């Protein structure tokens, strides 16, 4: 391997730190120095004083909870480092950049190593800023020596960089495969959302059914996760370098808990690192081979309009009808939009099931359960639908905006069409989860209808707010922009405020009148009123010449 | 007979913070004229077009387009003009027909009249075989053709074209030239064309204005401009006015 990887790593590092372009070097040095002080001095001091303030039981609790807590922390870290970069990579297929690199005779392996090393400094910093917050309390109560502390952080760092390496290998492989196709970017964005589900669901199931599996099969199911191996190694190091008396009953209990497992975990951990690094390097040239040159061209030809579009054309053969049809076609043909809505619907369906087996089953008043579930579905659907319809699915580019603005009252006509489109889309989006919930929760027909109306109206309100916010501050399709993040945050916040406001109002109405019709139909206007107000501001702002 | 002017600008100025993009522009473009607006990158051509098409507010000065005021009658201006932006902002997930239908609807057109215009324009521009393919699979030249069609679809009185042929092959470029000539002659459509291409401007424009650093420094027919600076052709004249003549002794100095 030539030294091309160095140039790639440098470029990747410059990209990662591009926000601090003018003061990159001093800032990086200051941040690293701070992270060392943070990890070794600041966090331990703060947390030690907090622990001192509490009663002695806390120390005992922390000591005994350590192995389990460590597994949870590592699982969280592993998930974050593995899933997030993959989702991020799927948002932006970088085949164009690869073609430039490959035209300079760079090997796939070099791209992989360079990209990885360019990211390491950033993740290193992140690990050293976050890990101490979670680990320090345990290191304090176990009175771990300085060498022990350094070894613990080193282990965590190794877990982090191995996970990042796997993540990069996987995301590069996915990018390479998807990038070969003209539709790759579209599929990648859609897959990005589903990936979260594909990953989270088995883990959720694992956590949920772990006790049953352990009982029936006599297995510690978490031992299959690499994060567990790393966590057990950290626990073993902590015990080995602990300043506590080895005869301390708490220490003997914890030692008994992980004895045997730590040897297996340690072995598996080393194997995991070796297989990941060597496997990744070796597979680079086999799993994905890019070739500089044109990607596979695929041409999609539009077919006959579906029954819904034909019906709209018949009912409204006017320019406004044409705009609505165009808006529906444009939105529906982007796989990412559909995947996001499906994701929201799926979570909304899952929610009552999870809640029902949890705390809801203990609430005696059925009408309050209806209100809580309605609020939960509203929250989930309104947030995802608003970010999807208003955020990425609104205006593609600045040039596109110029075209809209160049037509007489173009922006207003466009917003009207987009809002109507959103309302039409919200019919299936709100009805499917609500019907499933009504069946699962055995609602009466009247309650089911009321909940359906409530969810539909609230979700429409949420999407109006989303469209309005994007119209006030257009972000186009750039998910990496600060404007997009700000818009998403404001949209989610407004939807949360609206949905919670509606929930409070519904509860008040239910307590005051003991009538579901009044509580559900009376409370559903909070978000639509908020949404309509924001939409009006957005429509006006978008129409004003710059 | 009184002359009708589709563009009248008086002391028109646009500032972006401390930067003055267009300074004290004085310009009159007669109806049916093909006006070429030349200037280097960043000279203020696109800013002028955006002000005149009602998309940007001027900082000061006066202007009217097709008889409508740029401050108070922007929507009327938009209804009377067509704008081809510098970069193609098409919907990638719509076909050419669907995109043009969308543009038609934005301009209050629908039904058979619109569909007939779309069919004829796409056929004229040689896109009839690909008209139902999604625009994401179009080359940049094909997208430019679709945008040219979208600009004239509602038969505007004044057409602003920002770099209309920069992405087109010679045959398509010649076709666009002929469309401009025919519309200017037969329907008295006024064209306001921003371009870097001096040969294109020399070939098609009746009047040319050269903009440098936001200031209109030269105005006249191509012939007048060439004669005034004692140049060989419009490109030579442009380089003499704007600067940027090549120092051949430095061409390969970067290799040492």
């Amino acid at each position: 391997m030539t030294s091309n990887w160095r140039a790639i790593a440098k470029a990747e590092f410059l990209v990662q730190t591009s926000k601090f372009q003018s003061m990159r070097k001093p800032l990086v040095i200051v941040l690293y120095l701070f992270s060392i002080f943070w990890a070794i001095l600041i966090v331990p001091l703060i947390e030690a004083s907090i622990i001192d303030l509490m009663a002695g039981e806390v120390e005992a609790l922390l000591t005994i909870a350590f192995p389990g807590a460590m597994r949870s922390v590592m699982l969280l870290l592993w998930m974050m480092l593995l899933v997030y970069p993959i989702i991020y990579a799927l948002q932006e297929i970088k085949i164009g950049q690869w073609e430039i690199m490959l035209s300079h005779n760079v090997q796939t392996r070099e791209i992989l190593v360079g990209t990885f090393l360019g990211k390491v400094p950033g993740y290193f910093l992140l690990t050293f800023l976050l890990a101490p917050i979670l680990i320090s309390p345990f290191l304090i109560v176990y009175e771990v020596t300085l060498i022990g502390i350094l070894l613990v952080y080193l282990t965590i760092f190794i877990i982090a960089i191995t996970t990042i390496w796997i993540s990069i290998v996987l995301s590069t492989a996915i990018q390479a495969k998807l990038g070969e196709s003209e539709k790759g970017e579209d599929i990648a964005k859609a897959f990005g959302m589903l990936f979260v589900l594909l990953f989270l669901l088995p883990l959720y199931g694992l956590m949920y059914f772990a006790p049953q599996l352990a009982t029936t099969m006599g297995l510690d199911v978490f031992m299959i996760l690499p994060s567990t191996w790393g966590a057990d190694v950290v626990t073993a190091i902590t015990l080995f370098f602990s300043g506590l008396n080895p005869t301390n009953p708490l220490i003997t209990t914890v030692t008994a808990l992980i004895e045997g497992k730590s040897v297996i975990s340690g072995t598996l951990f080393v194997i995991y690192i070796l297989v990941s690094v060597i496997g990744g390097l070796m597979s680079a040239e086999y799993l994905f081979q890019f070739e500089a040159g044109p990607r596979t061209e695929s041409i999609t030809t539009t077919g006959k309009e579906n029954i819904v579009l034909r019906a709209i054309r018949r009912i409204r053969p006017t320019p406004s009808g044409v705009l609505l049809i165009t808006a529906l076609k444009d939105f529906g043909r982007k796989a990412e939009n559909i995947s996001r809505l499906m994701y929201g619907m799926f979570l909304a369906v899952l929610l009552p099931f999870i809640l029902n087996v949890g705390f809801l089953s203990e609430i005696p008043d059925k009408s309050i359960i209806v209100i809580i579930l309605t609020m939960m579905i509203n929250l989930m659907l309104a947030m995802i639908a608003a970010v999807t319809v208003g955020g990425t699915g609104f205006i593609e580019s600045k040039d596109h905006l110029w075209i809209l603005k160049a037509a007489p009252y173009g922006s207003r006509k466009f917003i009207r069409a987009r809002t109507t489109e959103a309302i039409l889309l919200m019919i299936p989006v709100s009805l499917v989860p609500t019907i499933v919930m009504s069946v699962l929760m055995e609602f009466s027909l009247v309650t089911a209808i009321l909940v359906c109306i409530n969810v539909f109206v609230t979700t429409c309100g949420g999407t109006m707010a989303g469209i309005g916010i994007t119209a006030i501050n257009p972000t186009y399709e750039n998910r990496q922009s600060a404007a997009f993040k700000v818009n998403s945050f404001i949209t989610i916040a407004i939807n949360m405020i609206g949905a919670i406001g509606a929930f409070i109002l519904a509860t008040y109405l239910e307590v005051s009148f003991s009538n579901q019709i009044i509580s559900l139909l009376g409370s559903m206007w909070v978000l639509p009123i908020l949404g309509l107000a924001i939409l009006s501001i957005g429509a006006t702002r978008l129409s004003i010449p710059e | 007979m009184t002359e009708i002017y589709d563009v009248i600008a008086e002391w028109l100025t646009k500032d972006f913070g401390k930067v003055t993009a267009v300074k004290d522009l004085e310009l009159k473009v007669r109806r049916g004229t093909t006006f070429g607006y030349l200037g280097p990158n960043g000279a203020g051509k696109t800013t002028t077009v955006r002000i005149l098409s009602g998309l940007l507010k001027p900082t000061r000065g006066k202007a009217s387009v097709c008889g409508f005021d740029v401050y108070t009658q922007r929507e009327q201006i938009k209804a009377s003009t067509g704008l081809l932006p510098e970069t193609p902002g098409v919907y990638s997930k719509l076909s050419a027909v669907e995109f043009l239908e969308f543009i038609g609807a934005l301009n209050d057109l629908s039904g058979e009249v619109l569909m007939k215009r779309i069919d004829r324009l796409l056929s004229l521009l040689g896109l009839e075989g690909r008209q139902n393919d999604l625009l994401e699979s179009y080359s940049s030249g094909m997208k430019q053709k679709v945008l040219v069609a979208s600009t004239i679809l509602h038969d505007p009185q004044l057409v602003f074209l920002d770099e209309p042929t920069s992405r087109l092959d010679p045959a398509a470029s010649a076709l666009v030239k002929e469309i401009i000539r025919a519309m200017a002659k037969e329907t008295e459509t006024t064209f306001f064309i921003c371009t870097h291409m001096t040969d294109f401007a020399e070939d098609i424009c009746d009047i040319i204005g050269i903009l440098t650093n936001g200031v209109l420094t030269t105005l006249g027919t191509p012939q007048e401009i060439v004669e005034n600076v004692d140049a060989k052709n419009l490109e030579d004249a442009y380089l003499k006015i704007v600067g940027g003549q090549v120092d051949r002794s430095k061409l390969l100095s970067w290799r040492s």
Side-chain angles (χ1 to χ4, degrees):
Chain A
M1 194 160 65
T2 55
S3 61
N4 287 327
W5 60 268
R6 260 189 238 147
I8 298 168
K10 188 182 172 190
E12 185 66 38
F13 177 73
L14 294 178
V15 170
Q16 298 274 318
T17 53
S18 59
K19 277 183 189 161
F20 320 109
Q21 196 183 6
S22 56
M23 42 181 208
R24 187 180 275 128
K25 270 188 186 168
L27 193 80
V28 168
I29 293 167
V30 168
L31 277 173
Y32 270 87
L33 287 176
F34 175 75
S35 74
I36 293 168
F37 278 111
W38 172 261
I40 295 179
L41 218 66
I42 303 171
V43 177
L45 271 176
I46 296 169
E47 294 194 343
S49 53
I50 294 170
I51 291 168
D52 280 347
L53 283 174
M54 296 178 182
E57 285 93 46
V58 175
E59 286 187 36
L61 192 71
L62 285 172
T63 316
I64 204 80
F66 182 55
M70 200 43 53
R71 286 182 175 189
S72 305
V73 168
M74 288 303 160
L75 181 62
L76 191 75
L77 188 76
W78 193 63
M79 288 282 299
M80 258 174 55
L81 294 175
L82 189 65
V83 177
Y84 181 72
I86 293 178
I87 294 167
Y88 189 83
L90 287 171
Q91 296 296 326
E92 197 183 9
I93 298 290
K94 288 186 190 166
I95 291 295
Q97 286 177 18
W98 289 343
E99 282 186 342
I100 293 172
M101 290 185 213
L102 291 164
S103 70
H104 288 87
N105 198 23
V106 175
Q107 290 179 337
T108 312
R109 194 180 292 170
E110 290 172 324
I111 298 178
L112 212 60
V113 174
T115 313
F116 167 69
L117 291 176
K119 284 182 197 289
V120 166
Y123 283 107
F124 181 85
L125 199 64
L126 197 70
T127 311
F128 273 72
L129 287 175
L130 292 180
I133 302 171
L134 301 162
I135 307 283
S136 275
F138 302 106
L139 299 180
I140 292 163
V141 294
Y142 273 93
E143 296 173 16
V144 180
T145 60
L146 186 64
I147 296 172
I149 293 173
L150 291 174
L151 279 173
V152 163
Y153 286 146
L154 183 70
T155 312
I156 294 170
F157 179 65
I158 291 170
I159 296 169
I161 58 165
T162 314
T163 316
I164 294 163
W165 170 250
I166 296 171
S167 180
I168 286 172
V169 171
L170 287 176
S171 52
T172 314
I174 294 169
Q175 283 208 344
K177 289 292 163 210
L178 293 177
E180 283 172 5
S181 142
E182 268 275 302
K183 284 184 166 184
E185 190 144 0
D186 206 25
I187 300 166
K189 284 174 183 168
F191 188 64
M193 292 306 295
L194 294 176
F195 188 80
V196 182
L197 276 183
L198 285 177
F199 213 84
L200 279 182
L201 279 180
L203 270 176
Y204 182 80
L206 200 63
M207 281 191 275
Y208 195 75
F209 297 108
Q212 289 90 320
L213 276 172
T215 316
T216 51
M217 298 170 74
L219 285 170
D220 186 347
V221 211
F222 286 100
M223 283 300 283
I224 62 163
L225 295 173
S227 61
T228 304
W229 311 332
D232 288 354
V233 171
V234 170
T235 309
I237 293 170
T238 308
L239 286 174
F240 189 80
F241 289 94
S242 170
L244 295 177
N245 190 341
T247 56
N248 183 322
L250 289 171
I251 292 284
T252 50
T253 314
V254 174
T255 310
L257 266 175
I258 71 146
E259 212 170 32
K261 280 180 196 164
S262 59
V263 178
I264 300 168
S265 289
T267 314
L268 288 171
F269 186 55
V270 174
I271 294 170
Y272 164 68
I273 294 164
L274 292 174
V275 169
S276 306
V277 175
I278 298 166
L281 278 174
M282 285 177 66
S283 64
E285 303 297 331
Y286 301 104
L287 262 181
F288 35 92
Q289 281 192 330
F290 322 123
E291 284 172 11
R295 301 282 131 206
T296 314
E297 289 283 334
S298 84
I299 295 167
T300 312
T301 305
T302 56
K304 204 178 153 195
E305 284 179 352
N306 65 36
I307 190 164
V308 178
L309 298 179
R310 290 205 303 272
I312 296 170
R313 218 177 258 285
R314 257 198 299 277
I315 297 164
R316 284 192 77 80
T318 56
S320 64
V322 172
L323 289 176
L324 173 60
I325 290 166
T326 317
L328 281 165
K329 282 178 181 171
D330 177 58
F331 186 90
R333 284 175 189 165
K334 287 177 183 156
E336 184 194 9
N337 292 338
I338 304 302
S339 121
R340 276 173 182 264
L341 290 182
M342 296 288 282
Y343 175 73
M345 284 163 72
F346 184 82
L347 288 182
V349 168
L350 203 67
L351 203 68
F353 172 71
I354 296 167
L355 288 177
N356 193 36
V357 293
F359 79 102
L360 278 185
S361 53
E362 285 163 30
I363 298 173
D365 190 344
K366 192 98 171 154
S367 57
I368 295 296
I369 294 178
V370 171
I371 290 170
I372 293 174
L373 285 173
T374 308
M375 189 268 289
M376 287 297 202
I377 285 203
N378 277 336
L379 204 60
M380 190 66 72
L381 286 180
M383 282 195 300
I384 288 179
V387 172
T388 307
V389 178
T392 51
F394 189 56
I395 299 174
E396 277 186 24
S397 63
K398 182 86 180 173
D399 301 305
H400 181 193
L401 182 60
W402 289 122
I403 287 181
L404 293 176
K405 284 188 159 192
Y409 303 102
S411 322
R412 282 188 184 277
K413 288 175 195 166
F414 177 74
I415 286 192
R416 266 202 296 273
R418 280 291 188 197
T419 309
T420 317
E421 169 225 333
I423 291 171
L424 285 179
L425 286 170
M426 287 315 114
I427 297 173
V429 168
S430 61
L431 285 189
V432 171
T434 320
I435 291 168
V436 172
M437 179 183 76
S438 302
V439 172
L440 273 176
M441 304 302 291
E442 296 169 359
F443 289 167
S444 69
L445 185 63
V446 176
T447 306
I449 293 169
L450 289 173
V451 172
C452 284
I453 296 170
N454 183 300
V455 172
F456 172 67
V457 173
T458 308
T459 314
C460 286
T463 53
M464 281 182 209
I467 293 172
I469 286 160
T470 318
I472 293 168
N473 182 26
T475 55
Y476 317 112
E477 292 210 326
N478 184 3
R479 281 162 203 76
Q480 317 302 339
S481 69
F484 178 76
K485 285 165 191 159
V486 169
N487 280 4
S488 300
F489 176 76
I490 296 172
T491 305
I492 289 169
I494 287 172
N495 277 292
M496 282 175 84
I497 293 166
I500 291 167
F503 167 70
I504 294 168
L505 182 62
T507 314
Y508 170 76
L509 293 171
E510 183 61 37
V511 171
S512 306
F513 299 97
S514 298
N515 184 321
Q516 247 178 8
I517 297 176
I518 294 174
S519 61
L520 286 174
L521 297 190
S523 64
M524 69 186 181
W525 301 104
V526 177
L527 205 45
I529 290 169
L530 212 58
L532 209 56
I534 296 167
L535 186 67
S536 307
I537 298 168
T540 309
R541 280 291 298 271
L542 201 68
S543 313
I544 294 171
E546 291 178 24
Chain B
M1 201 173 82
T2 40
E3 285 183 332
I4 302 170
Y5 291 95
D6 274 339
V7 175
I8 302 173
E10 291 172 34
W11 306 106
L12 196 68
T13 300
K14 179 69 184 176
D15 297 330
F16 292 105
K18 287 179 185 171
V19 178
T20 301
V22 178
K23 194 177 176 190
D24 300 331
L25 180 70
E26 291 270 346
L27 182 66
K28 281 185 174 183
V29 180
R30 203 182 299 140
R31 176 158 295 176
T33 307
T34 300
F35 176 75
Y37 204 36
L38 270 67
N41 291 328
K45 303 187 297 289
T46 302
T47 303
T48 310
V49 164
R50 285 181 182 163
I51 294 172
L52 296 176
S53 53
L55 299 175
L56 275 181
K57 263 193 229 167
T59 309
R60 58 185 175 275
K62 287 199 289 186
S64 73
V65 175
C66 299
F68 301 111
D69 185 77
V70 292
Y71 289 95
T72 57
Q73 295 173 298
R74 278 190 288 266
E75 301 309 326
Q76 288 90 327
I77 290 175
K78 289 173 189 176
S80 315
T81 60
L83 167 68
L84 174 78
E86 196 179 0
T87 40
V90 295
Y91 277 100
S92 54
K93 294 290 177 189
L94 295 182
S95 68
V97 172
E98 289 165 347
F99 178 71
L100 292 176
E101 206 188 351
F102 167 73
I103 296 293
L106 281 177
N107 288 286
D108 296 321
L109 293 170
S110 63
E112 214 167 308
V113 178
L114 176 62
M115 295 319 288
K116 267 188 187 165
R117 279 191 189 181
I118 292 171
D119 277 348
R120 285 175 187 165
L121 273 170
L122 288 176
S123 160
L124 181 68
L125 290 162
L127 291 171
E128 67 273 34
R130 300 281 310 269
Q131 60 185 22
N132 290 317
D133 296 343
L134 295 188
L135 290 170
E136 66 186 2
S137 63
Y138 277 36
S139 68
S140 57
M142 289 162 76
K143 282 181 190 163
Q144 187 75 354
K145 284 182 181 178
V146 175
L147 280 171
V148 168
S150 77
T151 309
I152 55 176
L153 184 67
H154 59 294
D155 201 10
Q157 174 55 52
L158 167 63
V159 179
F160 293 105
L161 301 174
D162 201 348
E163 300 295 348
T165 54
S166 58
R167 290 178 202 85
L168 297 178
D169 58 50
S173 185
L175 178 65
V176 169
K177 269 190 220 171
E178 289 311 315
I179 292 172
I180 294 171
R181 277 201 189 106
M183 284 183 74
K185 195 178 168 194
E186 304 296 329
T187 63
E188 274 226 309
T189 306
T190 310
F191 284 88
F192 193 109
I193 306 169
C194 298
T195 184
H196 297 292
M197 298 184 171
T198 46
D199 53 343
F200 174 79
E202 192 168 16
D203 203 13
I204 199 161
C205 296
D206 305 316
I207 304 286
I208 283 173
I210 299 179
L211 195 71
T212 318
N213 294 327
V215 179
L216 186 67
T217 51
T218 310
L219 189 67
T221 63
Q223 190 64 31
E224 283 167 1
I225 294 172
V226 171
E227 282 170 9
N228 284 348
V229 292
D230 195 20
K232 285 179 278 181
N233 50 30
L234 190 63
E235 182 179 312
D236 192 28
Y238 175 86
L239 291 174
K240 280 185 172 173
I241 294 164
V242 171
Q245 274 157 319
V246 180
D247 179 356
R248 293 188 178 274
S249 64
K250 289 182 180 170
L251 283 178
L252 295 176
S253 60
W254 56 272
R255 300 174 80 214
S256 54

